[in-house]
Amino acid sequence: MAGTSSLIVAGLTAAALGAVGLLGYQARETAPAHLSGSPGPNASASAGRTPGGRHSPSSVPRGSGTGERVVYSVDDDRVWLVDQGNRVQRSFKVLPGTVDPPPGTYWVTSRSSATTGTDGVPVEHVVRFTSVQGLVIGFSAATAPRAAAAEPSVRTGGIRETRADGEAMWMFATIGVKVVVIR
């Protein structure tokens, strides 16, 4: 009888330690950069960056986490589609909207095959992941060339891709896929 209760206690202890470890890992992966132990501004910026201080198009940006994810740099206007093995599947330039999402970790919350953007432009392959001050933020591809620039007063959250890049994003970023926004 004493042996059975010892096994139960050992099993419960192991389960509790596993749960605490998992929760710690999840908290670390979703914590803001300034709380996650990521390198600060004085750390070497050579790995994953080009000489001009910008992120390299061909390598996964440092501090963007692990696992399958979309990485979006608001400073570089670039996206990386990163697979489960931490390899870049595709990297491409984008044209941001007038409102940027703050750096952080998000998840794809909704998608639309086709709609009209807040600037009146028809778009396809819309992948949404957050909102800022009531404005939805997401990736999309314009289906037709824009005749004129949007009014400066029009707030847009659409991060525009080429149609080919939009199709790649559509295939990659399904509901629940992580989106990491970095500087």
Side-chain angles (χ1 to χ4, degrees):
M1 195 70 160
T4 303
S5 61
S6 294
L7 288 175
I8 291 172
V9 169
L12 289 173
T13 301
L17 288 173
V20 168
L22 175 64
L23 290 172
Y25 172 78
Q26 288 175 333
R28 190 184 101 226
E29 288 301 307
T30 59
H34 71 281
L35 296 176
S36 66
S38 297
N42 297 327
S44 169
S46 60
R49 290 190 176 256
T50 60
R54 304 190 103 190
H55 299 283
S56 169
S58 60
S59 58
V60 178
R62 281 175 57 121
S64 67
T66 60
E68 182 181 61
R69 64 199 180 281
V70 174
V71 179
Y72 170 50
S73 169
V74 296
D75 288 349
D76 292 356
D77 298 328
R78 176 166 292 279
V79 167
W80 294 260
L81 304 180
V82 182
D83 70 14
Q84 193 70 292
N86 213 40
R87 293 176 300 269
V88 175
Q89 294 301 297
R90 188 178 186 113
S91 176
F92 49 90
K93 293 290 280 180
V94 293
L95 182 63
T98 60
V99 177
D100 285 331
T105 301
Y106 306 90
W107 286 265
V108 174
T109 56
S110 70
R111 298 168 16 120
S112 295
S113 59
T115 190
T116 301
T118 55
D119 57 358
V121 174
V123 292
E124 66 183 0
H125 299 131
V126 181
V127 175
R128 300 174 195 93
F129 61 93
T130 192
S131 63
V132 174
Q133 299 170 351
L135 184 66
V136 175
I137 308 291
F139 303 102
S140 63
T143 58
R146 178 95 174 122
E151 291 292 320
S153 61
V154 175
R155 294 177 52 223
T156 61
I159 303 162
R160 296 290 163 79
E161 312 154 310
T162 66
R163 292 185 84 181
D165 292 334
E167 185 173 346
M169 174 71 78
W170 182 257
M171 298 303 292
F172 186 87
T174 56
I175 300 292
V177 167
K178 188 180 344 180
V179 178
V180 179
V181 178
I182 61 174
R183 285 273 153 218

